[in-house]
Amino acid sequence: MFFPGLHPVSKESRTVFSVSGSPDVSQDDTSTVTQRRTSSGSPSKKKSRPPPLPFRLPTEDEERAEREKGIAGPSSIGGGDDHMSTTPTKTAPPHYIKRRNMESKEATLRSILRLLAFGGHIPREAAKKIYPEYLIEKERLTDLQKVISLPDLDKCLRWCRSTAPDLFWSPFQRKDGQQSMEEWKCFEVVHQAASSTAVKFMAMMDKSVKPFSNAKCGSNSFEPFQFLCKNLAGLIFASYRKNVKLSTIDEIFENFYSCGFRAWMHLNDVSDNDTMDTSAGGDSCEACSENPCVCSKITAVFKEANLALHALGLMEELAGPRMYNVIQGDIKQHIHKCVSEKYDVGHLDALMQWFNKRNKIWIETIYPWMVDASEKQLKRISEEFLVLLLEIYGKCIISDMFSIIIEFPESQPILDDLRFCMKQVNLRSELVTDLKTALERRLLNAGVNTDNVLEAYVATVRALKFVDPSGILAQLVTPPVREYLRLREETVRVILVSLTDESGELAEELIKNPTYVDKKTVNMTNWRSWVPDPIDVPKDKHNLRKSDLIEALVSIYGSKTVFIDEYRALLADRLLRMIKPGCITREIKCLELLKLRFGESDLQKCEVMLKDVSDSQRLNVRFYEEEGAALVNSDVKLTGLVVSAQFWPTFKKETLELPKPVEEAMEKYTKAFEMIKGNRTLEWQKQIGTVEVEVEHGGTTLTLIVSPAQATVLWHFQDKEQWGLEELSQITGTTPSALKSRIAFWISKGILTNMGDGVYGLVDSVSEGKPTASRFTEEVDNDSPMTSMSTQRATELQMFWSYIEGMLTNLESLPLARIHSMLKLFATVECSSEELQKFLDEKVSQNMLVFSAGQYQLPK
Amino acid sequence: MKVKIKGWNTVAVWKWLANDDKCGICRAPFDGCCSDCKVPGDDCPLVWGVCSHCFHMHCIMKWLAAQQNQICPMCRQDWQLKSE
């Protein structure tokens, strides 16, 4: 979790040259070197481990052995003149910095930096020649070996390996025993460790490497030295997991950074008003909980420690993750505070303002040496922080994505923000997985109504299309929902109801964009702007990419035929249910819109249906209202809806004997029809329709609209007050069970009553019958007059049976796949092989087929 | 008790009074329409020949236009429209 791109190498070289201030280093030169380093250092970006060491890390045994022998190391290697007179010796107490005055601290740091800039006097050109940018680390080591003789290098490394880590970690270890450390104490520990170790370590490095470099390679020693330093820093880092408790270090650093930031903010008074109140005065300071406030001290030390860590090349490895956590926590806290479920406004502008303020603090405190750095470098660092901010903000939005989507389009501003974030940071997979789980958890369970699921689906597609107009997101997120909707039986119906409901949102969509676009046409004019799909996008054949919302809905079913069939059933249902054959303008309008979308030919049948309705109306007017009309004088005003059977869904077959007057009226009507339309006759669907009856009973009059069957049942009670169930079922021609439900309707109306033993009778008066009414739930005849889709399907499959029979007679036995492929040759109706198998298995269970050894055959 | 039927809306299916279900030429049901039409019934009527075979009007017209001899496609007798 290092900051990507903030590789120590680049900063090191930058700092080194600026501090050493060697006159032969021009500004341009420095920046090129920096760039070069950055690119060569990039492979180790984003790794949570130290950069790969060119040499093998010693095992524990080796290390112990080495430590034993190595003790004598420094003294034998050492011997170069110690030009760091201000540097404390090995025995210096850890608290030395506190005791030193400002001057000596500065001197110490300067000497560290001078050391780092060991080769400051080397002409840059020479260094470049030796280490071209493609050189990998291993080759560098070989070069190093050329500069320094191999046994010496080995000795030097061994010594460093055994001594340096312990030296660095010793201040931490001292505090290891203590369980909970006060903030200030932790702060001190880090600071001391960083500073003292930097000083000591550099001194030792100087001693051990200098003799070789001075003696053998003179001016070329700069690069090898830096290389050695860096690797040792990595070594130290690698060793810290062994020697010191991880949690302690983490705790220490986290405290260190949060404390440092707080102090800094406190001093600069740039904090948000509510995080701390500087005017609290009297009591201890809120930032450092010390009285009197030590914030300024902390800040100074904080910067210094950062400098020291940086000088050691340990900044990223050691403090990087902690520092990152602190900054991340800071951003997170702020974002959660200001976003907190307010989805109808964008927060990006406010966040950017806040960020610009904070960014300055971060850079000034963590990278004190960067303050004077070039614009370009500063920009790079702040961009990295910005990405961090956007990532956290994006994740914050994503975590609440479901609620945001539900509120679409009110939540549009925040989705705008998300779109911006996603342009900068790759959050796609996160969004997809998070939203998928959220949808599955909150939407796809049995407790949610289909229309709600559908609504959410629509909102999801819309919102995601808003975020990502290419539709890739929508395509990645929605499959589970589509899968689920496909399994729910009433989905098509719900879609169509909302499509055809004028006030519905989807109806607007239908009106808005009715153009039927051929998706296959590829626009070649701007092929240069073509962008390939990301590699993880499934090649779905029904992609939501270019399609609009209606298509997104239709695509749930794969093809539009299912959809259109269901629309036909829905339309038929509606037309048949219309109590007064009347206004169909709305249906006509809706059909026109659908025609624009699905093409005319598929909706031909629906058009005929509507024409039937309007023709029938004209017919009824002609029979009843025109002068000298045929049926003016009939007892029962029978209005017929004359339909073309081929174009309507199949009606349910149900027998029903209607009351005499009605039957008579039907006969008359048929005659009148035959008169007008030569050679044509009518077949009545007696069980379908609506009847308006006026029931006069016990002094009260009820006017009801009932089904024909219900009316028929009541009609018979006029002649006889009590009927047995059997008797009544014979006279009406219906089954007793169907009859019962009709009777139940009248019982609930308080007109009939159950006399027991399957005998039903009239109640004496309506008022007396009322109390019983409450006991029965009102059963409205809600059955669709059409056969269900599944029965229709079964009849369609039945059509195949003769084909199959013929096939099997000729070829004796066939496997399923063969039958399926042969059927496909002739079949007009599409049929999946699963469906066919089900059908055939049914036939097997009816003993009409024999299934053996994977083959179907006819029984002999 | 008295039940008065004020209105009775119901559904009827119309059918051609023909001696067959399907047109011998287009093999589509008579109640449907010929392959060129979209609306059945008045717009795509049936015609009867003196030979008592009947077809969609449009179908037999097409057939006759394609033949040299005006014969019924079913029985090969001369095709003449049966007058009502």
Side-chain angles (χ1 to χ4, degrees):
Chain A
M1 292 277 249
F2 304 139
F3 294 106
L6 288 189
H7 206 261
V9 185
S10 59
K11 288 185 307 257
E12 224 161 291
S13 53
R14 171 83 190 90
T15 323
V16 162
F17 305 138
S18 64
V19 172
S20 65
S22 34
D24 56 340
V25 182
S26 68
Q27 191 61 37
D28 286 338
D29 206 333
T30 315
S31 62
T32 47
V33 171
T34 310
Q35 271 181 322
R36 182 169 68 80
R37 292 303 185 74
T38 314
S39 60
S40 68
S42 61
S44 62
K45 265 188 194 178
K46 287 192 183 178
K47 270 184 199 163
S48 53
R49 283 181 294 128
L53 303 178
F55 41 77
R56 183 177 61 94
L57 275 178
T59 61
E60 273 182 53
D61 290 357
E62 277 176 347
E63 221 172 335
R64 207 180 308 120
E66 269 169 354
R67 209 171 294 152
E68 281 159 14
K69 342 183 235 192
I71 294 170
S75 53
S76 63
I77 295 173
D81 69 328
D82 189 356
H83 66 213
M84 295 175 67
S85 52
T86 51
T87 329
T89 51
K90 222 173 144 190
T91 49
H95 290 276
Y96 76 101
I97 281 184
K98 216 177 172 186
R99 280 194 253 110
R100 271 168 199 271
N101 57 25
M102 204 54 203
E103 275 176 4
S104 67
K105 266 196 280 179
E106 264 182 36
T108 317
L109 279 171
R110 215 171 283 137
S111 56
I112 295 170
L113 295 170
R114 200 180 309 128
L115 247 180
L116 270 175
F118 191 75
H121 59 281
I122 306 169
R124 287 282 75 69
E125 294 311 316
K128 267 200 239 171
K129 261 178 216 157
I130 304 168
Y131 299 105
E133 57 188 38
Y134 56 80
L135 273 186
I136 54 164
E137 295 271 307
K138 204 171 173 184
E139 284 170 78
R140 286 187 180 206
L141 184 66
T142 336
D143 281 342
L144 188 69
Q145 284 165 350
K146 278 180 206 154
V147 174
I148 307 169
S149 74
L150 199 58
D152 285 342
L153 180 74
D154 199 42
K155 225 190 238 170
C156 167
L157 281 177
R158 197 181 299 162
W159 174 81
C160 287
R161 227 182 274 165
S162 61
T163 326
D166 285 343
L167 191 69
F168 181 80
W169 293 111
S170 58
F172 289 102
Q173 274 172 315
R174 204 163 296 161
K175 297 283 178 186
D176 205 5
Q178 277 167 274
Q179 279 304 309
S180 68
M181 257 185 284
E182 286 170 48
E183 245 174 29
W184 173 238
K185 286 271 161 54
C186 295
F187 195 86
E188 279 188 306
V189 168
V190 176
H191 176 228
Q192 282 159 17
S195 314
S196 66
T197 317
V199 172
K200 284 185 210 166
F201 180 66
M202 286 306 154
M204 265 175 259
M205 282 306 296
D206 184 34
K207 272 187 194 166
S208 51
V209 183
K210 206 175 148 198
F212 307 109
S213 46
N214 271 354
K216 303 198 175 161
C217 56
S219 60
N220 283 345
S221 63
F222 170 70
E223 289 269 352
F225 179 72
Q226 268 218 331
F227 168 72
L228 206 57
C229 280
K230 272 200 57 53
N231 281 307
L232 274 164
L235 188 70
I236 291 171
F237 179 68
S239 72
Y240 104 81
R241 280 165 204 280
K242 277 183 197 160
N243 295 341
V244 187
K245 256 198 214 158
L246 189 66
S247 56
T248 320
I249 303 281
D250 284 356
E251 196 189 332
I252 289 171
F253 271 100
E254 208 147 324
N255 279 331
F256 175 72
Y257 277 98
S258 57
C259 179
F261 281 132
R262 247 182 303 152
W264 211 94
M265 274 171 235
H266 179 85
L267 281 185
N268 288 268
D269 200 18
V270 287
S271 61
D272 315 308
N273 295 333
D274 44 358
T275 47
M276 66 191 94
D277 192 0
T278 41
S279 63
D283 301 327
S284 57
C285 168
E286 280 182 45
C288 56
S289 45
E290 294 279 323
N291 193 11
C293 176
V294 289
C295 283
S296 52
K297 215 154 119 201
I298 292 179
T299 323
V301 176
F302 182 56
K303 273 192 192 178
E304 217 169 83
N306 274 333
L307 261 178
L309 277 175
H310 166 68
L312 278 171
L314 279 178
M315 183 85 178
E316 306 302 328
E317 285 90 341
L318 197 60
R322 304 300 118 218
M323 183 169 71
Y324 185 88
N325 277 355
V326 171
I327 293 177
Q328 207 176 20
D330 199 17
I331 297 175
K332 238 182 218 164
Q333 200 190 352
H334 182 77
I335 285 177
H336 281 285
K337 202 177 66 212
C338 57
V339 173
S340 66
E341 300 194 356
K342 277 178 270 167
Y343 303 133
D344 46 352
V345 281
H347 303 286
L348 205 60
D349 289 343
L351 281 176
M352 288 305 271
Q353 270 178 12
W354 176 85
F355 171 76
N356 286 337
K357 268 196 235 163
R358 279 298 158 101
N359 184 35
K360 223 175 85 193
I361 304 172
W362 290 326
I363 290 183
E364 277 177 33
T365 47
I366 306 173
Y367 304 109
W369 61 91
M370 291 289 285
V371 176
D372 316 314
S374 65
E375 281 280 303
K376 207 167 142 198
Q377 262 177 316
L378 277 177
K379 211 178 143 200
R380 195 169 54 87
I381 291 180
S382 29
E383 260 166 20
E384 272 154 23
F385 283 132
L386 182 64
V387 165
L388 186 64
L389 173 95
L390 291 178
E391 190 184 337
I392 294 172
Y393 184 43
K395 278 181 183 168
C396 174
I397 296 176
I398 286 169
S399 69
D400 262 335
M401 198 61 186
F402 184 78
S403 327
I404 293 172
I405 279 176
I406 295 301
E407 280 176 39
F408 191 81
E410 278 75 31
S411 56
Q412 209 160 314
I414 207 157
L415 287 172
D416 238 345
D417 287 1
L418 180 64
R419 185 163 57 180
F420 183 80
C421 292
M422 289 184 72
K423 256 182 217 156
Q424 310 284 323
V425 194
N426 185 7
L427 291 168
R428 206 183 65 217
S429 61
E430 189 130 344
L431 175 64
V432 169
T433 42
D434 270 29
L435 190 56
K436 253 188 190 170
T437 15
L439 284 171
E440 265 163 42
R441 195 165 45 84
R442 295 178 65 174
L443 206 60
L444 308 186
N445 53 56
V448 187
N449 287 337
T450 306
D451 40 353
N452 292 346
V453 180
L454 209 62
E455 215 173 281
Y457 174 69
V458 168
T460 311
V461 173
R462 281 183 164 182
L464 292 181
K465 279 260 170 123
F466 180 77
V467 176
D468 168 30
S470 70
I472 292 169
L473 271 180
Q475 202 187 343
L476 286 173
V477 170
T478 51
V481 188
R482 289 142 59 90
E483 195 74 25
Y484 180 79
L485 278 172
R486 202 173 317 167
L487 292 177
R488 282 216 171 180
E489 267 180 21
E490 73 272 32
T491 306
V492 189
R493 198 152 272 245
V494 175
I495 294 175
L496 281 163
V497 168
S498 54
L499 266 185
T500 49
D501 177 12
E502 236 171 22
S503 58
E505 235 181 301
L506 288 177
E508 281 169 33
E509 193 76 21
L510 193 63
I511 296 164
K512 206 164 63 188
N513 189 8
T515 39
Y516 183 75
V517 192
D518 187 9
K519 273 182 282 178
K520 276 170 196 141
T521 54
V522 181
N523 190 357
M524 290 301 285
T525 51
N526 54 352
W527 56 273
R528 276 172 196 281
S529 61
W530 176 77
V531 181
D533 290 350
I535 199 145
D536 55 339
V537 175
K539 297 272 176 293
D540 198 349
K541 73 177 160 167
H542 310 294
N543 67 10
L544 296 172
R545 229 60 86 53
K546 284 159 201 134
S547 56
D548 65 355
L549 202 59
I550 306 288
E551 271 172 78
L553 286 170
V554 175
S555 72
I556 292 176
Y557 280 91
S559 76
K560 59 180 179 179
T561 23
V562 187
F563 214 73
I564 286 169
D565 282 352
E566 193 65 38
Y567 171 68
R568 197 155 64 95
L570 186 81
L571 182 67
D573 203 27
R574 268 199 195 157
L575 293 176
L576 293 178
R577 262 170 214 278
M578 275 198 287
I579 294 167
K580 282 226 167 85
C583 185
I584 54 164
T585 42
R586 215 183 59 137
E587 305 296 342
I588 291 173
K589 193 176 151 199
C590 177
L591 181 66
E592 288 300 319
L593 289 172
L594 285 174
K595 267 204 286 190
L596 285 174
R597 183 162 298 269
F598 295 121
E600 202 153 329
S601 57
D602 289 306
L603 289 161
Q604 184 55 42
K605 286 184 171 182
C606 300
E607 215 179 343
V608 173
M609 281 161 67
L610 285 175
K611 188 173 176 290
D612 281 345
V613 173
S614 49
D615 282 354
S616 306
Q617 277 172 17
R618 220 171 300 135
L619 213 58
N620 285 325
V621 169
R622 195 162 162 189
F623 288 162
Y624 288 101
E625 284 161 37
E626 275 175 20
E627 241 175 87
L631 302 174
V632 167
N633 299 320
S634 58
D635 299 339
V636 179
K637 196 190 173 198
L638 182 84
T639 38
L641 172 63
V642 181
V643 303
S644 316
Q646 299 293 329
F647 296 81
W648 288 66
T650 346
F651 298 117
K652 261 185 204 159
K653 290 265 185 301
E654 206 177 321
T655 52
L656 182 67
E657 293 295 322
L658 296 178
K660 265 247 165 63
V662 183
E663 297 272 7
E664 278 165 15
M666 282 180 174
E667 259 170 54
K668 273 192 199 165
Y669 195 100
T670 312
K671 283 214 177 90
F673 181 83
E674 282 170 0
M675 287 282 285
I676 300 172
K677 315 265 179 187
N679 288 318
R680 278 196 271 173
T681 190
L682 293 177
E683 252 176 38
W684 293 90
Q685 303 288 319
K686 292 171 184 172
Q687 78 286 0
I688 307 172
T690 52
V691 181
E692 194 182 352
V693 288
E694 197 179 86
V695 186
E696 210 183 306
H697 183 53
T700 42
T701 314
L702 279 172
T703 309
L704 292 167
I705 289 168
V706 295
S707 75
Q710 286 165 343
T712 309
V713 168
L714 196 67
W715 182 266
H716 290 294
F717 278 89
Q718 279 185 126
D719 310 333
K720 202 169 121 184
E721 292 209 347
Q722 286 185 9
W723 285 89
L725 198 60
E726 282 295 316
E727 215 182 337
L728 197 59
S729 89
Q730 259 175 21
I731 200 164
T732 55
T734 47
T735 57
S737 63
L739 198 59
K740 259 189 195 166
S741 73
R742 325 280 192 232
I743 292 172
F745 172 78
W746 291 114
I747 291 175
S748 76
K749 291 283 174 225
I751 289 166
L752 296 183
T753 180
N754 192 350
M755 319 279 278
D757 287 339
V759 179
Y760 297 88
L762 277 174
V763 288
D764 295 337
S765 71
V766 174
S767 57
E768 194 189 303
K770 276 276 170 190
T772 58
S774 57
R775 275 195 274 141
F776 293 87
T777 50
E778 193 157 330
E779 193 185 319
V780 186
D781 204 355
N782 244 341
D783 292 352
S784 170
M786 264 78 60
T787 49
S788 67
M789 289 307 277
S790 53
T791 24
Q792 275 187 36
R793 188 78 191 143
T795 18
E796 279 171 4
L797 280 174
Q798 195 61 42
M799 256 172 42
F800 293 149
W801 178 239
S802 55
Y803 285 114
I804 297 169
E805 251 184 331
M807 237 186 262
L808 293 174
T809 327
N810 290 328
L811 300 161
E812 289 207 350
S813 62
L814 289 170
L816 177 71
R818 190 77 191 285
I819 296 178
H820 187 233
S821 61
M822 283 184 83
L823 275 182
K824 260 201 202 152
L825 288 176
F826 316 109
T828 47
V829 188
E830 273 177 45
C831 163
S832 70
S833 82
E834 289 82 26
E835 251 179 317
L836 182 67
Q837 188 177 15
K838 219 171 131 197
F839 175 72
L840 291 177
D841 288 347
E842 228 166 73
K843 290 285 173 197
V844 170
S845 69
Q846 289 166 8
N847 289 329
M848 292 169 83
L849 266 184
V850 176
F851 182 68
S852 66
Q855 305 230 326
Y856 290 93
Q857 48 187 287
L858 292 172
K860 296 203 170 99
Chain B
M1 187 200 63
K2 211 167 172 274
V3 179
K4 193 179 163 199
I5 296 166
K6 293 178 82 179
W8 191 293
N9 303 312
T10 187
V11 174
V13 172
W14 65 260
K15 281 208 171 342
W16 286 105
L17 289 166
N19 46 8
D20 202 354
D21 287 344
K22 285 178 178 171
C23 168
I25 298 172
C26 68
R27 302 305 292 158
F30 282 137
D31 303 337
C33 46
C34 74
S35 50
D36 295 336
C37 282
K38 286 182 175 166
V39 184
D42 295 338
D43 295 345
C44 188
L46 300 195
V47 286
W48 281 261
V50 282
C51 58
S52 85
H53 287 120
C54 76
F55 306 98
H56 285 126
M57 187 180 78
H58 302 130
C59 293
I60 192 74
M61 299 296 264
K62 247 206 255 173
W63 164 263
L64 293 176
Q67 301 294 312
Q68 290 179 339
N69 306 322
Q70 305 283 294
I71 54 166
C72 166
M74 302 294 269
C75 60
R76 303 269 157 192
Q77 293 181 44
D78 280 349
W79 175 264
Q80 268 173 357
L81 274 180
K82 194 198 223 168
S83 52
E84 296 284 320

